[in-house]
Amino acid sequence: MSDEQPPVEREVEETAAEQELAQEQPRTPTGGDYAPSVAKRLDLYQRAGGIVTPLLTTIIAFLIGGLVVLASGSNPLSTYRAIFDGTGLNWLFPWVTGADRTLAATNLQQTLLLMTPLILTGLAVAFAFRCGMFNIGGQGQYTVGTIMSVWVASAFVGMNGPVHILLALAIGTLSGAMWAGIAGFLKATVGAHEVISTIMLNWIAYWIGSWVFALGGPLQSHANGASVPVSHDIQPNTHLHVFWGDPILQGLHVGFFIALACLVVYWATLNRTTLGFSVRAVGFNPEAARYGGIRVARNYFTALAISGMFAGLAGAIDVLGWEFHIDVNDIQASSIGFTGIAVALLGRNTAVGVFFSSLLFAALVNGTSTRHLDPTIFRPDLAGNLTLIIQGLVVLFVGADVLVLWFWNQRKKIKLRRHALAAQAAVMR
Amino acid sequence: MTAAAPTVDAIRSVNPRWVGAAGIFLGVFAFWIALPPVETTQLVWPAIVAAVAVAAGVWTIRQGEKRIGWGAIVSGVLGFALAVLAAQAARSNLEVAIVWSALIASMLVYATPLTYAALGGVFSERSGVVNIGLEGMMLTGAFFGIWGAATTGNWLLGLLIAMGAGGALALVYAFFAIHLRSDQIVGGTAINFLALGITGYLFIDIYGSNGTPDLSNGNWLKGESIPDVVISRGSNFFSQAFGDLNLMIWLSFAIVILAYFFLFRTAAGLRLRSVGEHPRAADTVGISVFRTRYISVVFGGMLSAMGGAYLSIGFVHSFNQNMTEGRGFIALAAMIFGKWRPIPAFGACCLFGFSSALAQRLGTIPSWSSYAVLFQALPYALTLIAVAGVIGRSIPPAADGQPYVKQ
């Protein structure tokens, strides 16, 4: 299998060379170019918008967001500035010093804390995407991961700390994999559409989570009285080590590095293993993959299960890293898994892309939160919804590749016209 | 799949499918007689009824109708098991929880928003556009319904404004899904995010922390809430169940039937379905695929918005952020469970509404309240089973979700 890899890469190089050639020598436009085949479109799409599309999408979304801010009577520039300061990214600027720097550090810790699960839920969506599936169930897989890991980490009193941590992470990961695996199994055996089954699994997880920690639920803790719908606290020795900031004030824990490692694992699995090769082959064209001897159904199951592993791990890391206990409201208000969809789409399902887009969304969510946004400049409760609008716009535009294609074609046309004009001018002279 | 060719024998003798269906019904009946008002304490009766159900199932299987036969057997066994449980349960609790007339009224209240949205989904998906954005369109309707009603002082205008807003959001979605051929699942997800953000933003911007004008009880301003249709306020079963229902509930019954007639009994409905099954063929005979899809999606958005408006100005009488809480997805589930047909989808909405109503009533009994929460997951679990093909496979329209490229 692995010796089939080089030809694919060579092909990519060839097309890139062709592309350069095409740019240098303007061809006469052909009429049938407007609606190319899916593969051709995907190819062009990838090249046309490698980095341009996500950037363009983000800029447009933020511009529209700015208009919304303007419409409600605030200054968009100072609002975005305040949001930026709220994210703590100004810590990166050397000229921020003193008390500002301390505050920026705390803010940045919170942003990176939020980025950690977003990377993982982003990968959960992205991995399934590469196999040609849309995993909307990241939220449910995340929820199941939190439930199982909070259970494991709060039970087994007296277990060795690191072993306990590993066990809780492993159980969280596996439960996420199982939850997604249900959808994968249904897809592989009876062809049930994964979008529908993962949506249903999301809500089943939501209500199971609302039940287990609710009053009279099996995992409810009575430590604070029987009327508080909350889980047991996890054992103190299962807390993940905080390496930056104050552990009591939610400093940044080592789970961040686990998430970063998962980015590498994601890239390596897809691009350097047989499994990744067959997953991508199925994603490009299931029929061709089947013809090539790849077991398509099994790959559907595997890809969704691996997706679920990422999301379940996200849940476990959140529990062990900073949440320490789960209440019913945590489960009902969480939208990490849904934001993961936007992360994966904006990051174009690549490891590097997911890294940057998770940083963007973590910063956006954190910068607009009540705790971090300066209320004198813009109301944080409004800004939280602004984040949702921007998120929606990003997803809307990212999905519209034909729009990008149209812009791309316009650019080409302008170039052609310029060439034609230059030629004309040369003739005239 | 199991629809065997109707042989002469099968037509002459009793249709085994009917026997199987009767078996399923008897299984439910076995459970029913253990509940109030009959509330038999002798388990003999449910046992006899369930045994007949199982026997009917066995006979049906031997006639070759395997799926429905197994359905009858499962129904009989389950019915008896539940009847045993009901007989064990505290009688006083049961009498609080199971009041059929109140349950039916409450079922209709919960089912109605779902019905509108599910029908919206049926229209959209029958024309070949997958609509994950039902939730967002519902939420938009809920906000603009109450905003319109509070601003104009008239519920009808509020409802129309809600429909306009839902239709506008659907139009945006339709443009991306149809003209720009973007992935419809991605687009629908975007619509849900957008609606959540826009309604939340406007809600805070307009009403701030005060919340929407509370239209319930004391602050009831005549004309701002969708009125109830009071037929009778008696104490008999029908008055309790149907005597005092909201106008929108009655309207939903009418729309279900109209939708069925339109989609399956008119030429325009046939055209709409043909666009969803085979757009190329439809285009060839002169049906505009794009126009049909635009109209269907926008109409679907309006219907979903009506469901949302019912929620805010017909039922809850206020608005809060994300008030639909996944109802759009239950509606989606109901549409799939009802196999993309209006009347079965309505049946599914009633089933899901019933589980909500039961969950709410069970929630009032302290010793049962924690399990009541689990009932909320029932619609999703049932739909998962349905897409898995255990209870009759759900198969979407052939071109559902595929953008059409004109040639």
Side-chain angles (χ1 to χ4, degrees):
Chain A
M1 273 294 179
S2 57
D3 55 349
E4 286 178 59
Q5 209 112 17
V8 176
E9 281 178 8
R10 207 180 306 138
E11 210 173 279
V12 171
E13 279 169 24
E14 273 170 23
T15 47
E18 268 176 29
Q19 162 71 6
E20 274 178 30
L21 229 122
Q23 276 194 349
E24 278 170 20
Q25 302 176 338
R27 286 173 303 182
T28 47
T30 47
D33 259 8
Y34 183 64
S37 72
V38 174
K40 218 170 156 188
R41 205 167 92 193
L42 201 73
D43 183 40
L44 185 64
Y45 174 45
Q46 291 284 359
R47 276 187 281 134
I51 189 153
V52 179
T53 328
L55 279 180
L56 207 69
T57 304
T58 316
I59 290 169
I60 296 175
F62 272 86
L63 277 180
I64 298 179
L67 290 180
V68 175
V69 173
L70 200 64
S72 56
S74 298
N75 182 349
L77 286 180
S78 56
T79 301
Y80 279 138
R81 174 81 205 276
I83 291 175
F84 182 79
D85 285 349
T87 64
L89 286 172
N90 52 354
W91 183 83
L92 299 172
F93 301 149
W95 60 83
V96 178
T97 49
D100 281 351
R101 192 163 184 79
T102 321
L103 181 67
T106 358
N107 287 347
L108 188 59
Q109 286 157 20
Q110 299 311 307
T111 299
L112 296 182
L113 205 62
L114 191 58
M115 183 180 166
T116 305
L118 278 183
I119 290 175
L120 291 168
T121 50
L123 289 181
V125 180
F127 197 86
F129 246 123
R130 295 298 280 269
C131 192
M133 287 180 293
F134 199 157
N135 175 19
I136 294 199
Q139 186 64 47
Q141 293 140 24
Y142 172 87
T143 303
V144 172
T146 57
I147 295 170
M148 293 305 283
S149 60
V150 85
W151 174 60
V152 170
S154 61
F156 305 119
V157 183
M159 195 186 245
N160 180 355
V163 176
H164 204 168
I165 289 178
L166 280 181
L167 184 69
L169 289 179
I171 296 287
T173 310
L174 282 180
S175 55
M178 270 178 58
W179 205 246
I182 297 173
F185 179 76
L186 291 180
K187 169 105 182 169
T189 51
V190 297
H193 201 296
E194 78 284 353
V195 167
I196 294 163
S197 42
T198 50
I199 288 178
M200 298 307 139
L201 286 168
N202 272 349
W203 288 96
I204 295 173
Y206 176 98
W207 288 112
I208 288 179
S210 306
W211 171 62
V212 287
F213 304 129
L215 309 186
L219 296 182
Q220 190 210 355
S221 161
H222 290 264
N224 311 315
S227 61
V228 186
V230 69
S231 75
H232 293 281
D233 281 334
I234 64 171
Q235 299 294 324
N237 62 357
T238 57
H239 291 197
L240 290 178
H241 175 66
V242 171
F243 67 92
W244 189 28
D246 190 340
I248 299 162
L249 299 173
Q250 282 185 19
L252 187 58
H253 55 76
V254 289
F256 181 62
F257 294 118
I258 301 181
L260 291 183
C262 281
L263 281 171
V264 180
V265 169
Y266 171 83
W267 175 84
T269 310
L270 274 180
N271 297 304
R272 288 291 179 270
T273 66
T274 322
L275 171 75
F277 178 76
S278 54
V279 160
R280 282 183 300 138
V282 172
F284 274 124
N285 189 339
E287 286 311 313
R290 182 176 290 125
Y291 187 72
I294 292 171
R295 296 165 85 168
V296 175
R298 174 176 285 191
N299 272 292
Y300 281 146
F301 174 76
T302 315
L304 266 180
I306 291 175
S307 285
M309 286 175 85
F310 285 125
L313 181 61
I317 286 180
D318 265 1
V319 165
L320 302 185
W322 62 276
E323 286 187 304
F324 307 140
H325 55 77
I326 298 289
D327 65 38
V328 168
N329 193 40
D330 287 333
I331 284 177
Q332 299 192 341
S334 168
S335 61
I336 292 283
F338 293 119
T339 312
I341 297 173
V343 167
L345 288 172
L346 187 65
R348 319 193 111 230
N349 311 317
T350 62
V352 179
V354 166
F355 175 81
F356 283 109
S357 62
S358 63
L359 180 62
L360 175 79
F361 281 112
L364 197 57
V365 171
N366 199 41
T368 54
S369 66
T370 326
R371 259 195 311 176
H372 299 285
L373 183 60
D374 186 352
T376 54
I377 294 173
F378 197 70
R379 289 164 55 191
D381 44 358
L382 270 185
N385 288 303
L386 184 70
T387 303
L388 280 172
I389 295 179
I390 292 176
Q391 199 173 317
L393 289 171
V394 164
V395 175
L396 194 63
F397 292 137
V398 148
D401 55 344
V402 174
L403 194 66
V404 180
L405 206 67
W406 185 80
F407 274 121
W408 189 249
N409 283 346
Q410 290 302 303
R411 217 193 71 166
K412 253 189 190 166
K413 269 184 202 162
I414 290 169
K415 244 188 190 171
L416 283 176
R417 201 173 300 150
R418 203 183 294 144
H419 275 287
L421 282 176
Q424 237 176 10
V427 171
M428 296 275 272
R429 217 180 293 145
Chain B
M1 267 166 253
T2 50
T7 56
V8 183
D9 283 339
I11 294 166
R12 273 202 203 128
S13 62
V14 189
N15 188 344
R17 296 179 70 92
W18 287 106
V19 178
I24 292 177
F25 173 77
L26 280 176
V28 178
F29 186 67
F31 178 38
W32 186 78
I33 53 177
L35 294 175
V38 182
E39 248 186 317
T40 173
T41 44
Q42 291 158 318
L43 282 172
V44 186
W45 297 111
I48 291 173
V49 177
V52 175
V54 172
V58 171
W59 186 80
T60 313
I61 289 174
R62 295 190 66 172
Q63 295 297 311
E65 291 285 350
K66 287 213 173 105
R67 180 166 284 174
I68 201 161
W70 279 112
I73 292 176
V74 168
S75 167
V77 172
L78 260 183
F80 182 67
L82 289 171
V84 172
L85 274 181
Q88 301 288 319
R91 178 165 280 230
S92 58
N93 281 356
L94 265 186
E95 278 169 4
V96 172
I98 315 288
V99 182
W100 289 106
S101 56
L103 270 178
I104 286 176
S106 161
M107 168 191 92
L108 290 173
V109 166
Y110 282 111
T112 301
L114 307 180
T115 306
Y116 283 104
L119 284 180
V122 168
F123 271 95
S124 174
E125 302 218 352
R126 276 285 173 185
S127 79
V129 182
V130 166
N131 205 339
I132 298 280
L134 288 178
E135 169 91 2
M137 294 170 195
M138 249 180 130
L139 190 60
T140 313
F143 175 76
F144 281 94
I146 200 157
W147 177 78
T151 319
T152 61
N154 184 334
W155 64 266
L156 190 59
L157 285 175
L159 188 62
L160 290 176
I161 289 171
M163 287 168 72
L169 192 67
L171 186 65
V172 172
Y173 172 60
F175 177 66
F176 275 84
I178 299 167
H179 256 106
L180 297 184
R181 302 200 294 276
S182 67
D183 188 298
Q184 294 174 7
I185 308 289
V186 176
T189 312
I191 289 295
N192 287 336
F193 282 136
L194 267 183
L196 196 57
I198 292 172
T199 56
Y201 192 95
L202 289 175
F203 172 66
I204 303 271
D205 204 20
I206 295 173
Y207 297 109
S209 49
N210 304 323
T212 50
D214 187 8
L215 302 181
S216 59
N217 298 330
N219 307 328
W220 188 287
L221 292 173
K222 213 170 186 178
E224 289 183 7
S225 287
I226 300 173
D228 287 0
V229 177
V230 181
I231 299 171
S232 80
R233 289 193 194 277
S235 56
N236 63 334
F237 176 80
F238 281 97
S239 315
Q240 292 274 315
F242 300 103
D244 186 4
L245 290 178
N246 196 277
L247 178 65
M248 292 289 278
I249 297 178
W250 291 105
L251 188 62
S252 77
F253 298 160
I255 289 182
V256 168
I257 293 165
L258 284 177
Y260 165 74
F261 266 96
F262 175 77
L263 282 174
F264 292 95
R265 290 285 179 272
T266 66
L270 181 65
R271 287 191 198 113
L272 194 156
R273 285 185 292 131
S274 72
V275 167
E277 297 288 347
H278 201 310
R280 178 79 62 222
D283 200 8
T284 315
V285 296
I287 301 165
S288 167
V289 175
F290 279 21
R291 200 180 66 188
T292 312
R293 287 190 170 174
Y294 267 106
I295 293 173
S296 308
V297 173
V298 171
F299 184 65
M302 286 176 164
L303 277 179
S304 311
M306 278 171 86
Y310 164 71
L311 205 59
S312 65
I313 53 177
F315 174 25
V316 185
H317 302 292
S318 73
F319 179 87
N320 49 46
Q321 295 192 53
N322 194 15
M323 82 176 291
T324 45
E325 288 175 315
R327 281 190 176 85
F329 289 109
I330 305 191
L332 188 78
M335 177 196 73
I336 296 162
F337 202 71
K339 301 183 181 178
W340 287 266
R341 289 162 169 273
I343 291 175
F346 173 66
C349 289
C350 286
L351 179 66
F352 297 169
F354 189 78
S355 79
S356 295
L358 199 59
Q360 186 225 355
R361 289 193 78 85
L362 290 180
T364 59
I365 300 164
S367 56
W368 291 355
S369 62
S370 80
Y371 295 99
V373 177
L374 275 183
F375 265 85
Q376 309 274 8
L378 190 68
Y380 308 110
L382 284 178
T383 307
L384 197 62
I385 294 170
V387 290
V390 180
I391 329 172
R393 185 78 172 279
S394 292
I395 298 164
D400 205 7
Q402 291 166 12
Y404 181 64
V405 184
K406 227 174 144 101
Q407 286 188 333

